[in-house]
Amino acid sequence: NTESYGSRTTGYHTQSAPVSWMSYATSQWYAINAGNSLDPFVFNNTAHNIGSHYHTSGTDAGKFVAPVTGVYQLNWNIFAQCPTNQTNAATLEAYVKINGNSISRLHNKIGYGNMGDDQQVMNLSVTEQLSAGDKVHIRLTAYVANWQVYGGHSTFSGHLVG
């Protein structure tokens, strides 16, 4: 017998069914007025959805529901612009939510008045331990100024690492 990382090699390899998805939203601008949120932001199309655990519609629209307990790689790319003049406090912030709770360490933002009306991409990638049935989504919140997100260039993807 060979032991590695707390597992014992027995000649058999077992693994859960593959879990992987790549979702994106419709090719249009989604407005987020200052002080408001899109919660969840719904990526309503999929390039692939192996296992059908990402939901494009229904009560869990915009959410990935973990089918098994394990470690997952989760990735968001948000293409956004602030079409109005910004102050130093104007930001678009992304909060990862698990089971409806914001996880403060899983957070990113763009803005701070250094962008004008230029377009930017915000990336957020995390490796997270989830339990079976956990629901994951992203909340986008505009602070001080109005923002827009372009759905066709914004994605949410992920897969089960193990």
Side-chain angles (χ1 to χ4, degrees):
N1 280 339
T2 303
E3 294 201 339
S4 171
Y5 302 103
S7 300
R8 190 173 66 169
T9 302
T10 61
Y12 295 97
H13 178 74
T14 59
Q15 168 180 330
S16 13
V19 177
S20 177
W21 75 98
M22 166 56 112
S23 59
Y24 58 97
T26 300
S27 293
Q28 67 183 42
W29 288 104
Y30 295 84
I32 310 172
N33 293 327
N36 292 308
S37 299
L38 294 177
D39 185 8
F41 182 78
V42 178
F43 301 87
N44 57 345
N45 299 289
T46 57
H48 75 271
N49 193 5
I50 300 169
S52 300
H53 301 291
Y54 176 77
H55 299 271
T56 58
S57 61
T59 57
D60 286 329
K63 298 177 184 178
F64 165 71
V65 181
V68 296
T69 297
V71 174
Y72 291 83
Q73 177 65 41
L74 307 166
N75 312 288
W76 291 268
N77 297 293
I78 308 298
F79 185 86
Q81 71 176 0
C82 182
T84 60
N85 291 330
Q86 296 184 36
T87 68
N88 288 338
T91 59
L92 176 66
E93 304 198 20
Y95 299 88
V96 175
K97 296 181 82 173
I98 300 174
N99 298 324
N101 300 308
S102 292
I103 310 300
S104 62
R105 64 184 161 75
L106 307 179
H107 169 253
N108 201 353
K109 63 177 88 176
I110 57 176
Y112 289 117
N114 61 358
M115 198 172 97
D117 64 350
D118 293 340
Q119 299 168 340
Q120 271 189 10
V121 175
M122 178 184 349
N123 300 300
L124 182 58
S125 294
V126 299
T127 303
E128 191 70 14
Q129 172 77 42
L130 299 175
S131 297
D134 280 353
K135 297 179 180 185
V136 181
H137 73 274
I138 198 160
R139 179 186 89 203
L140 300 176
T141 302
Y143 291 99
V144 180
N146 297 335
W147 287 80
Q148 298 180 111
V149 172
Y150 191 72
H153 298 322
S154 298
T155 62
F156 175 23
S157 63
H159 65 274
L160 173 64
V161 175

